[in-house]
Amino acid sequence: MRFRPIVLITISMFLAAGVIVAGSRIKSVQAADQPVQLDNMKNVSEIVFAVRKFADDGHWYANISYKSYAPDRKNYRDGGKLCKLNLKTGQVTTLIDDPKGGIRDPQVNYDGKRIIFSWRRDGSEYYNLYEINSGGAGLKQITSGPYDDIEPVYTADGSIVFVSTRCNRFVNCWVTRVAIIHKCDSDGKNIQPLSCNGEQDNTPWPLPDGRLLYMRWEYTDRSQVDYHHLWTMNPDGTGQAVFYGNFHPSTVMIDAKPIPGSSKIVSLFSPGHGAKEHEGFVTIVSPKQGPDSLPSARRMCDRTVRDPWAFSENLFMAASGQSIVAIDGSGKIQNLYTLTEEDKRAGFQINEPRPLCLRPKEHLIKAKVNPKSATGTFMLADVYAGRNMAGIKRGEIKKLLVLELLPKPINYTGGMDPLTFGGTFTLERVLGTVPVEDDGSAFFEAPALRSVFFVALDENEMSVKRMQSFTSVMPGENYGCFGCHEQREKTFPNNRSGALMAMRRPASKIEPIKDVPDVLDFPRDIQPILDKYCICCHNPDKRSGSVDLAGGRGPMYSISYFTLTVRNQFSDGRNRAVSNLPPRAIGSSASEILRKMSGKHHDVQVSPMEFKTVRLWIETGAPYPGTYAALGTGCIGLFIENNPANRFDLEWESTKQAKKAIDERCVSCHTKERSLPSSLSDGNDKRHLYFNLTQPEKSLMLLAPLQKSAGGLGICKDEYGTGCMAEKGDYAYEAILGMLKDGKKKLDEIKRFDMPGFIPRPDYIRELTKYGLIDKSYNPGTPIDYYAMDQKYWRSFWYKPKL
């Protein structure tokens, strides 16, 4: 690394018209420079900013660390600078230049003299926090370790809030590490998490009233790419609540900051799942009409920028490609500074311009955390108050089911498979139930710093209303709300007589549910129930109702699991951009399989314990595996970028012969929606139904066209009305069977999580070793209790009271 001395660069233009910024990925920004009234900047003489290069896929969360499947593949590029622009002289001072490192996220102290920033120094893979005086002296390191510490801000109590990968988890739908909000002393000591999000937190910033404003990405039983909105918390992590947008999908709201002299904030709104490196539209948001008011957000201009700073409601500064620009209240944009030609050719971009000036401290909120407590409490005033609650009668809700979202130690793809097919990306733990009083109130303890959510249950413990977001409490926190999905701008009605019934007693403790695993697993917990009650009719040979529930393994899922999913036998959130569904529209009450198991389907009546097991499996997202060790393994056709072997079947001679036979014998009839898969890794999802790799000869792909006289089902008819295959010796039958036998052989070799001898991927072992949960002396290939290892991993996050 080169740590260069201060360098002065004279810029040839300043505040001059005519400079055009490079085009944006969202929308072209080729627009003429326009004069902007800069009166609100008259007390600002210098601006600090970062200069760095963007990675090819540098999404707003995928610009740190490495890729899960290949630690040598980084999510960043080398080259970074910390610079200072003098607005009067036009000189640029390079405070730090690290050609083999990276610099990002400068923030100026209240005194206007110190700068905190994130630096990945030459020779390091990780960003840590550093501080330097605005003149370039006094460099000191604040945090250290094999973690990425980014997006720091000073707070009024003298501490530092930042976003960090110290949470030891991966993005649920991608191959990068998660970073969530942490806090430390000014010297880097006493680092502690303020969030327990299983997904990304970003860009915390203090509001004048002392709260922290930040972006929270989460998708509890709803779309993975649509919910990343603005939230607030107190500086000690208490009082986490939505600030704006959580009911409105399809926008990333990031880089939010207060507007001086106003209750409004400025934020970047980036469409959909967001653009590269925080790129978006400068948007002013007023909180006065509550978090769901769409008219409260006003876009300033149609040019995309990054990292806005508000001087007033009529003047903003932002990074735009390789320039710093000013934007006024009417949307006019004027260039302030552009990188040198040398830096532009090198691919550098400007980021995070901040004024070097004094600013007032925010209101200091008294800490409410009790570090000696392992729990906090929730108080719900009235479960019947809220939106989309029509049809629920008072007294109908008896309990709340308390569930916990479980972080992932590693992830390999952008999909949810093989955890579910089109459903949750996250395993969910059953913590237990708490009572709801006759007046609709509830008061109960919950473990601190754990992501929990609730399902309202009726007297039969069936779902009435489901929460599709998560909440949490800090140690010793008392958190209250007055309803279920209630409007945040409303207050608790004062027409209630007397104290809430739940508050007349101590807080309830969560009552565990006995005799059922807290994390459910389809092959282990659900398939035995199907074997006992269902497969006498629903098996490969009989297939009553064209259904096979015998549990044979397909290329990625069991045939029974996939069948229940695609035939809508259970209702979960799916990966959809909708939430706050009507009562009984999701979960156990909306699941057909439970109706069938309660005596309403050919008198099938499962035991109460079996019914409870299936019910809780549905309430926890109906996963296929109950372990994250299953991710990226035991699948044929699961695409992982550097692992083409998951499509190894395409190279088999048997696959080529099977494809030829299917093309010759099947394609003429099976077109469009009736099309058939032609390989085990075919993109046609019917492969999960048609290919049985446990009993290849029982595959529907073989039995459907085989004549009944030959032991088939005779479903597919030839021109004479008989099965397309007269006998098992038919060349097409033998060709397809050859491919299926090779598939069984390969699956027996690579193994799935529910097969004897299964061993998790080396990446899973690597990360858990890094987290200190597997001994470094572990011998690769040695069997491991991966269910117990997952539990050990999750327990590592349990808050330990400070005695």
Side-chain angles (χ1 to χ4, degrees), residues 768-788:
L768 288 171
T769 302
K770 183 180 294 184
Y771 304 154
L773 302 175
I774 294 179
D775 194 272
K776 292 182 180 179
S777 62
Y778 168 79
N779 182 22
T782 303
I784 186 173
D785 186 342
Y786 37 92
Y787 289 100

Side-chain angles (χ1 to χ4, degrees), residues 13 39 72 87 135 142 273-274 307 314 387 441 447 482 511 516 541 582 629 713 720 733 739 803:
M13 55 70 60
D39 287 351
D72 59 326
L87 294 176
I142 296 175
H273 191 37
D307 312 309
N314 294 306
R387 290 171 285 196
S441 62
F482 83 77
E511 181 68 27
V516 175
D541 296 313
L713 297 172
Y720 304 107
Y733 181 96
M739 176 183 70
L803 303 177

Side-chain angles (χ1 to χ4, degrees), residues 160-233:
I160 297 166
V161 169
F162 59 102
V163 173
S164 177
T165 60
R166 295 169 187 269
C167 55
N168 291 342
R169 62 199 64 175
F170 273 72
V171 172
N172 289 330
C173 66
W174 199 232
V175 298
T176 53
R177 300 177 80 187
V178 164
I180 61 174
I181 296 178
H182 287 68
K183 185 177 185 177
C184 69
D185 297 340
S186 60
D187 58 2
K189 295 180 180 179
N190 296 316
I191 296 176
Q192 55 186 299
L194 300 185
S195 167
C196 54
N197 194 356
E199 281 297 352
Q200 197 82 9
D201 299 325
N202 276 99
T203 59
W205 204 275
L207 291 169
D209 65 10
R211 291 177 298 162
L212 295 171
L213 179 65
Y214 65 102
M215 189 218 73
R216 175 168 117 173
W217 179 24
E218 52 119 330
Y219 37 97
T220 307
D221 299 332
R222 55 181 181 171
S223 169
Q224 88 218 64
V225 294
D226 286 287
Y227 294 93
H228 4 56
H229 298 103
L230 297 177
W231 290 69
T232 58
M233 66 168 67

Side-chain angles (χ1 to χ4, degrees), residues 68 82 147-148 169 237 249 284 295 300 313 342 376 390 474 522 556 681 779:
S68 61
L82 182 65
Y147 312 98
D148 288 295
R169 62 199 64 175
I284 293 178
M300 299 303 299
E313 285 191 54
E342 179 183 359
M474 294 295 286
F522 184 86
M556 193 177 298
S681 61
N779 182 22

Side-chain angles (χ1 to χ4, degrees), residues 210-285:
R211 291 177 298 162
L212 295 171
L213 179 65
Y214 65 102
M215 189 218 73
R216 175 168 117 173
W217 179 24
E218 52 119 330
Y219 37 97
T220 307
D221 299 332
R222 55 181 181 171
S223 169
Q224 88 218 64
V225 294
D226 286 287
Y227 294 93
H228 4 56
H229 298 103
L230 297 177
W231 290 69
T232 58
M233 66 168 67
N234 295 326
D236 63 354
T238 61
Q240 296 183 24
V242 63
F243 181 86
Y244 186 78
N246 195 41
F247 260 63
H248 303 298
S250 302
T251 304
V252 174
M253 302 176 184
I254 201 165
D255 284 305
K257 303 174 186 68
I259 297 176
S262 168
S263 63
K264 300 175 182 178
I265 60 102
V266 63
S267 178
L268 281 184
F269 279 25
S270 193
H273 191 37
K276 192 172 184 176
E277 288 282 351
H278 299 201
E279 191 93 359
F281 300 101
V282 176
T283 304
I284 293 178
V285 178

Side-chain angles (χ1 to χ4, degrees), residues 350-371:
I350 288 181
N351 301 272
E352 300 101 23
R354 318 284 194 226
L356 271 167
C357 60
L358 289 167
R359 60 187 177 91
K361 288 188 175 182
E362 300 82 17
H363 173 71
L364 188 61
I365 298 176
K366 184 179 179 181
K368 302 174 184 177
V369 168
N370 177 5

Side-chain angles (χ1 to χ4, degrees), residues 48-51 80-84 93-97 103 106 115 117 132:
V48 64
F49 59 96
V51 178
K81 302 179 184 182
L82 182 65
C83 300
K84 183 175 64 172
T93 303
T94 301
L95 302 176
I96 298 176
D97 183 1
I103 292 176
I115 304 164
F117 62 101
I132 193 171

